[in-house]
Amino acid sequence: MAVTESRKPSEPGSSELGPSAPSEPSAPEVRTGAGVLRGRREAGLAVFRGVPFAEPPVGALRFAEPRPVRGWDGVRPALAYGPPPPQSGVLGVSQDVAGDDWLTLNVWTPEPGPAAGLPVMVWIPGGGYAMGDSSLPEYDAGHLAGSGTVVVTLNYRLGVEGFAQVGGAPANRGLLDQVAALRWVRDNIRAFGGDPDRVTVFGQSAGGGSVAALLAMPRAAGLFHRAVAQSVPGTFFSPELAADIAAACAAELGVEPTVSGLSAVDPALLPAAGDAVFAKTLQWRERWGQITHRPIPFAPVVDGDVLPATPWRALAGGAARDVGLLVGHTRDEHRLFSLIDGVLGQVTREQAETALRMLAPGPDGASRYRRAFPEAADEELYELVNADWLFRMPSLHLADAQIAGGGRAHLYELTWPAPGLGGALGACHGLDVPLVFGNLGTGQTAALIGDPSSPAAEELSARIREAWTAFAAHGDPGWPAYDADRRLARLFDTPSTVTSYPEEASRLLWRDHTFPALPLLAGQ
């Protein structure tokens, strides 16, 4: 594979692609296994967008494992992001790009060509396994790649298409899409200047959960060498629970929860079915339990094949002992969701008791929380138990599982309180994303940082990017590895410090919890 610099308009590509766009001066061209791509120069980087890594999963390929992309003749422009996969509309995110070529990725590289040998970072977007789009401005990787790293961002199937337990279809199709993208990286990234033997996967929220799942998946073994898991959700489903949710979504559409039944439904209509089902969460509480409290319709399924075990069990058994792990969370993980739900500053004692009763571990978890935090008011307890159940303790336990299995882990917590919105959200869920990418004034999280961003925010972002890229390059983010005795963690703040993990009261409450696959309950 080779890279060239195009200096004249190319011949038209294949009829399937349409005519190639006129070349720009010094537009970079890279030959992949499927054909030649032309990108563009941006701020000293070569950028390739909308690169297909698998065939569109529609028609005969609907609900199937991803199929390798077919080759093309001529030069394929890689100038625009691919269309996002069909996804939930609960947050009102606009999908302006139409099309079914959902399985695409994007590459930023400072030095295309097989001789560069740069570390590679592959970003998996979050969004509750129901939303996610690599074209979001907060995922622009110019700042990260500018430090001497090849960065790849990708799309994968979501919701019913990607994660529902569908009769006749493989489980975890969204995860299989991610594996297909990693195989593409292994086979092609050298031509973009990347080292296929130094690949780091990183992701946040559902992206962090995907990273955790990939660590446990035999199909992903050897495709990456380090992993950064940001705010890992603890929600992994049993096949029975996932199948029951899929049946409810299919019933909403009047079809069977099978490949033949759901394939008759336009892909654009499927997300609305999931939204409709989880708009009626109380109806399902006795069957689905905890996921109706913080509505979570989709998650990876511990099916015994694609995903043989939960990440915590797999890592404790040594499944990823040869993969370096950087994992952590924000301090105030749930406060953003309280804002979205309209309860921020208004949580009642009844709401706090419901959350404690449903989420706290053990038969007397609610009373144990109140004893552990005797000065906490109802709202603080509500925030704590939600944050601990969904993100904080799953992330901590992933580090514990990794070292128990003989691997190496580094732990962090983002404690810097965001100044935006009057400081009401603190170090909330998602705050790490603009800091990691360095895009402080763009995207959905820009309001958290403040406009304009402060010098302190810029400095903190630079330090986090430095840690992430150093970890990708040589496995050391700049602070000691985590162990069961000292439990050292980097607290990202202004200034940052290294200290014992600060959420000790929560750690003790959850010490014996194993984060098993969530079951289908017996209630009707």
Side-chain angles (χ1 to χ4, degrees):
M1 301 177 184
V3 61
T4 61
E5 298 291 340
S6 173
R7 300 185 183 279
K8 63 180 181 178
S10 71
E11 295 300 318
S14 67
S15 59
E16 179 182 350
L17 296 175
S20 296
S23 65
E24 303 170 3
S26 299
E29 292 184 0
V30 167
R31 179 172 295 279
T32 71
V36 178
L37 295 166
R38 177 183 298 124
R40 61 160 54 100
R41 291 282 177 185
E42 297 178 10
L45 301 172
V47 184
F48 302 81
R49 293 184 172 90
V51 178
F53 63 83
E55 284 294 294
V58 296
L61 301 183
R62 187 108 178 258
F63 300 104
E65 290 200 35
R67 186 82 56 83
V69 66
R70 289 173 293 174
W72 58 83
D73 297 324
V75 178
R76 179 176 184 132
L79 307 176
Y81 291 109
Q87 53 195 278
S88 170
V90 293
L91 295 183
V93 178
S94 173
Q95 297 186 49
D96 296 328
V97 182
D100 55 21
D101 200 3
W102 311 324
L103 303 184
T104 63
L105 53 76
N106 319 289
V107 183
W108 286 255
T109 175
E111 192 177 345
L118 300 173
V120 181
M121 300 180 69
V122 181
W123 172 254
I124 302 175
Y129 308 103
M131 296 173 285
D133 181 0
S134 64
S135 72
L136 296 178
E138 51 262 50
Y139 300 153
D140 184 286
H143 294 292
L144 275 178
S147 66
T149 304
V150 177
V151 183
V152 179
T153 66
L154 60 90
N155 286 341
Y156 57 98
R157 280 174 284 183
L158 303 164
V160 174
E161 297 279 353
F163 290 93
Q165 190 78 351
V166 175
N172 299 305
R173 296 168 299 280
L175 297 178
L176 292 173
D177 294 342
Q178 296 167 18
V179 170
L182 288 169
R183 287 174 177 156
W184 184 97
V185 168
R186 177 196 62 194
D187 296 340
N188 294 283
I189 205 64
R190 193 179 299 277
F192 293 83
D195 181 352
D197 295 322
R198 281 198 297 169
V199 174
T200 298
V201 290
F202 69 128
Q204 181 265 351
S205 196
S210 296
V211 169
L214 290 167
L215 287 165
M217 290 173 59
R219 286 171 172 83
L223 295 177
F224 59 95
H225 312 90
R226 299 184 182 106
V228 182
Q230 304 170 213
S231 299
V232 178
T235 49
F236 282 68
F237 291 175
S238 67
E240 296 79 15
L241 175 61
D244 208 56
I245 295 171
C249 293
E252 193 75 26
L253 296 160
V255 299
E256 292 296 314
T258 62
V259 170
S260 59
L262 289 166
S263 290
V265 180
D266 187 315
L269 301 180
L270 284 185
D275 293 347
V277 167
F278 269 77
K280 302 174 285 190
T281 53
L282 289 178
Q283 173 182 332
W284 303 102
R285 180 150 292 180
E286 292 186 5
R287 292 181 67 82
W288 300 346
Q290 292 173 315
I291 61 170
T292 64
H293 174 74
R294 167 82 266 145
I296 301 169
F298 304 105
V301 181
V302 183
D303 67 310
D305 177 21
V306 176
L307 185 58
T310 65
W312 302 275
R313 181 179 172 187
L315 266 62
R321 65 166 57 98
D322 295 327
V323 179
L325 174 63
L326 171 58
V327 59
H329 58 77
T330 72
R331 183 187 58 200
D332 306 304
E333 285 280 9
H334 194 263
R335 205 167 292 177
L336 176 65
F337 298 105
S338 291
L339 176 67
I340 293 171
D341 294 343
V343 300
L344 186 64
Q346 305 174 47
V347 173
T348 65
R349 185 173 184 84
E350 180 182 5
Q351 288 170 322
E353 280 298 318
T354 298
L356 288 167
R357 186 178 66 253
M358 292 192 68
L359 305 180
D364 61 342
S367 59
R368 290 174 64 226
Y369 253 88
R370 289 196 177 276
R371 291 196 301 270
F373 300 97
E375 305 300 321
D378 288 324
E379 177 138 4
E380 184 179 355
L381 287 166
Y382 176 87
E383 294 288 342
L384 281 168
V385 73
N386 273 285
D388 285 343
W389 172 73
L390 188 52
F391 296 116
R392 300 202 315 175
M393 294 304 103
S395 299
L396 174 65
H397 280 221
L398 200 69
D400 282 320
Q402 175 71 342
I403 62 173
R408 182 180 175 90
H410 290 81
L411 183 68
Y412 75 89
E413 181 176 12
L414 176 60
T415 58
W416 179 68
L421 304 178
L425 298 186
C428 69
H429 187 71
L431 179 62
D432 49 332
V433 173
L435 295 171
V436 165
F437 279 88
N439 301 319
L440 304 187
T442 59
Q444 301 171 5
T445 54
L448 296 175
I449 303 294
D451 187 19
S453 57
S454 66
E458 298 283 352
E459 174 67 14
L460 179 60
S461 176
R463 296 288 75 78
I464 292 177
R465 294 199 309 277
E466 181 179 53
W468 265 231
T469 55
F471 180 75
H474 49 75
D476 184 356
W479 65 91
Y482 177 77
D483 62 56
D485 296 323
R486 296 181 299 168
R487 300 188 183 278
L488 294 180
R490 168 75 78 181
L491 306 188
F492 282 110
D493 209 322
T494 51
S496 297
T497 58
V498 176
T499 185
S500 295
Y501 180 67
E503 313 304 341
E504 180 67 4
S506 292
R507 186 189 73 81
L508 292 174
L509 285 167
W510 290 82
R511 178 172 48 190
D512 298 324
H513 190 71
T514 59
F515 289 98
L518 295 173
L520 176 66
L521 304 179
Q524 298 296 320

